[in-house]
């Protein structure tokens, strides 16, 4: 069973706000000059910010934050965020992999940006309402 897709817009302003909240002011997250100098295609989103957006989708599917039992990902591709008002989009989808007898639902989660997967081994376990 497929769960409804969720889409999150990511702009440079979001990256600045996340940097302030997380304390991660690495210039690859705000300076094209630095990002390209180190071999990146441009400014990239913080990996943990990407993971948080996907976690927001999982929480929405679960119905509440305390229904998320387990959640993990591996980062595979950076999310490049252009310097414009639109930014970019991360689309999050999930497929139910298993529903256990004890009320847990295991999800395989996919996150893409511009049609390319940005996370691998993205999985979540949520508690199903009874």
């Amino acid at each position: 069973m497929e769960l409804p897709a969720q889409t999150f817009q990511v702009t440079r302003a979001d990256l600045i706000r996340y940097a302030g909240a997380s304390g991660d002011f690495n210039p690859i997250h705000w300076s094209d000059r630095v990002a390209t100098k180190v071999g990146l295609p441009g400014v990239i989103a913080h990996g943990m910010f990407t993971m948080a957006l996907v976690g927001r989708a999982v929480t929405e599917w679960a119905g509440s934050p305390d229904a998320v039992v387990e959640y993990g990902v591996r980062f595979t591709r950076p999310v490049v965020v252009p310097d414009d008002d639109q930014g970019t989009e991360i689309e999050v989808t999930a497929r139910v992999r298993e529903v256990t007898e004890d009320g847990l639902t295991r999800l395989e989660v996919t996150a893409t940006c511009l049609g390319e997967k940005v996370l691998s081994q993205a999985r979540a376990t949520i508690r199903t309402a009874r």
Side-chain angles (χ1 to χ4, degrees):
M1 175 175 120
E2 298 286 327
L3 298 178
Q6 297 185 52
T7 303
F8 300 94
Q9 183 176 7
V10 180
T11 65
R12 293 272 179 105
D14 295 321
L15 302 185
I16 298 300
R17 284 189 287 274
Y18 184 81
S22 70
D24 182 353
F25 293 100
N26 187 323
I28 64 171
H29 302 303
W30 54 268
S31 169
D32 280 308
R33 181 178 51 79
V34 172
T36 56
K37 186 175 182 180
V38 299
L40 294 167
V43 165
I44 62 169
H46 304 74
M48 294 304 289
F49 180 62
T50 302
M51 185 178 179
L53 292 176
V54 175
R56 185 185 299 174
V58 171
T59 299
E60 180 71 27
W61 292 320
S64 79
D66 66 343
V68 179
V69 176
E70 186 175 36
Y71 170 54
V73 305
R74 291 233 171 124
F75 304 106
T76 56
R77 178 169 275 119
V79 173
V80 179
V81 182
D83 189 11
D84 60 22
D85 293 334
Q86 292 76 40
T88 194
E89 289 184 339
I90 297 172
E91 183 179 62
V92 185
T93 58
R95 181 178 66 80
V96 174
R97 194 176 76 202
E98 175 187 17
V99 177
T100 68
E101 288 183 17
D102 57 348
L104 299 177
T105 300
R106 292 184 182 16
L107 305 175
E108 280 188 17
V109 182
T110 302
T112 60
C113 181
L114 301 175
E116 296 196 37
K117 286 177 75 170
V118 296
L119 300 175
S120 68
Q121 298 181 24
R123 298 185 181 103
T125 302
I126 59 177
R127 190 174 305 105
T128 311
R130 292 186 167 210

